[in-house]
Amino acid sequence: MTGLSITSDLVRGHTETIILAQLMEKDSYGYEINKSIQMKTNGQYELKEATLYSAFRRLEAAKMIESYWGDETTGARRRYYRITKMGKLLYEKNKEDWEETKRLIDSLI
Amino acid sequence: MTGLSITSDLVRGHTETIILAQLMEKDSYGYEINKSIQMKTNGQYELKEATLYSAFRRLEAAKMIESYWGDETTGARRRYYRITKMGKLLYEKNKEDWEETKRLIDSLI
DNA sequence: GCAATATACCTTGACAGGCGAAGTAAATAT
DNA sequence: ATATTTACTTCGCCTGTCAAGGTATATTGC
């Protein structure tokens, strides 16, 4: 998959919120989250693996998410993530900030 | 002026576009541009000086803007910036990208 | 049978933009 | 006199992104 039209510079700062949004729906794991993002954006956007996994590290260190190994009997192992109560609060806060940011930037450009 | 409510992480990536937008209106200089941004956002946002001036450097190196010294007979000297033809094209492109980015992020969070 | 592809995770090191902190200098306000 | 405002500049750190490399299992094609 090539030719992603949105430069990640503009999405920078939203990576964590995007991940949290996915985990608000259900527990999930890196690979699935990224596929889901690609699907939801019709291939316009994807997280680079290093970006995705380093975001997981930050979010887990900050207790916004928790991880556990899936019990796959077949296929590659999966590390599942679950959003915590704090994570849900952060998600709501970030969503509000996004609405504010949209207004702000719209007023400036 | 304290308590800016929007974290700059979310505006990151738009700094140059915000500056170009100001220069679309008229030639201007750093201090004035920053005051204007503060006014337009009711004090919600400002560019840090180091951020502002390093953005000027990048934009000028990329030939998106040009600079000249004002002929103030009084007060501190001012370095004025003018947007170039290329800069105008970049501005239009960035605006479109912003519209696209809004849609993208809205679909993800 | 075996190579290629898809699934799934991880680490390292470099890079770029933002910014705190500090400095320079002139004009104005207290 | 002193502080504040106007105005620009440089240095060095911090943080998030990502190219590049690695590991391991399962499936698909020839």
Side-chain angles (χ1 to χ4, degrees), chain B residues 8 12-13 15 48 50-51 58 74-75:
Chain B
S8 51
R12 192 191 175 104
T15 302
K48 300 297 150 45
T51 303
R58 283 198 304 277
T74 178

Side-chain angles (χ1 to χ4, degrees), chain B residues 12-42:
Chain B
R12 192 191 175 104
H14 299 283
T15 302
E16 296 184 5
T17 311
I18 289 170
I19 292 171
L20 292 175
Q22 293 287 324
L23 297 178
M24 286 293 281
E25 288 175 21
K26 67 177 177 71
D27 288 12
S28 188
Y29 55 98
Y31 194 85
E32 187 182 49
I33 286 175
N34 215 5
K35 287 292 162 200
S36 171
I37 288 169
Q38 287 172 40
M39 205 138 47
K40 284 183 177 177
T41 61
N42 304 309

Side-chain angles (χ1 to χ4, degrees), chain A residues 45-57:
Chain A
Y45 197 66
E46 67 175 345
L47 293 173
K48 300 296 150 45
E49 287 194 5
T51 303
L52 178 65
Y53 290 111
S54 73
F56 280 147
R57 296 286 170 292

Side-chain angles (χ1 to χ4, degrees), chain B residues 36-68:
Chain B
S36 171
I37 288 169
Q38 287 172 40
M39 205 138 47
K40 284 183 177 177
T41 61
N42 304 309
Q44 264 188 102
Y45 197 66
E46 67 176 344
L47 293 173
K48 300 297 150 45
E49 289 193 1
T51 303
L52 178 66
Y53 290 110
S54 72
F56 281 146
R57 297 284 170 294
R58 283 198 304 277
L59 285 168
E60 188 159 29
K63 308 229 186 266
M64 299 302 162
I65 61 177
E66 292 164 351
S67 68
Y68 56 94

Side-chain angles (χ1 to χ4, degrees), chain A residues 8 12-13 15 48-51 54 58 74-76:
Chain A
S8 49
R12 191 188 175 107
T15 302
K48 300 296 150 45
E49 287 194 5
T51 303
S54 73
R58 283 198 304 279
T74 178

